[in-house]
Amino acid sequence: LNYMANFLDMYVGFMFEFTQQKTQFALDVKYACQEILNRYYSIQVAQRKLPQDPWWIDKISSIDQNCDQFLDGKVDIQWDRDFSDHS
């Protein structure tokens, strides 16, 4: 019985640490997305150019939104694959 209690304590500790790492990773990715978007739009404004956004801006925005959903505890994250038939 003591063995099971120790095992459960270790498991809970591991899962907490794993969740903390995933949360930190999502925050880091979200920050990187915001930096990329800010940099892109800052350059466009500075050059007084506002052309149609390139395709990768939508991808960066989608990653940012998925990070928000993950951080809000939502598990139904969507990702569109452009270059593959796999789902």
Side-chain angles (χ1 to χ4, degrees):
L1 199 56
N2 224 3
Y3 170 76
M4 286 302 284
N6 288 340
F7 173 77
L8 288 175
D9 283 345
M10 287 177 19
Y11 178 77
V12 168
F14 171 77
M15 291 307 292
F16 177 76
E17 179 67 26
F18 184 67
T19 301
Q20 291 288 84
Q21 289 174 352
K22 288 190 327 185
T23 299
Q24 186 59 51
F25 178 74
L27 287 169
D28 291 344
V29 170
K30 180 171 179 50
Y31 178 74
C33 290
Q34 291 170 347
E35 287 291 313
I36 291 167
L37 293 171
N38 288 341
R39 177 77 172 160
Y40 173 76
Y41 288 120
S42 293
I43 291 170
Q44 297 299 69
V45 168
Q47 295 177 349
R48 297 178 189 254
K49 295 181 183 176
L50 294 174
Q52 182 178 3
D53 289 341
W55 65 270
W56 53 268
I57 290 291
D58 287 338
K59 288 295 183 186
I60 298 294
S61 296
S62 179
I63 293 169
D64 186 32
Q65 291 169 0
N66 284 342
C67 286
D68 282 338
Q69 289 182 359
F70 173 79
L71 292 168
D72 288 342
K74 298 177 183 168
V75 292
D76 186 27
I77 295 174
Q78 301 296 317
W79 182 255
D80 296 324
R81 293 175 159 268
D82 291 338
F83 305 111
S84 176
D85 293 334
H86 303 287
S87 55

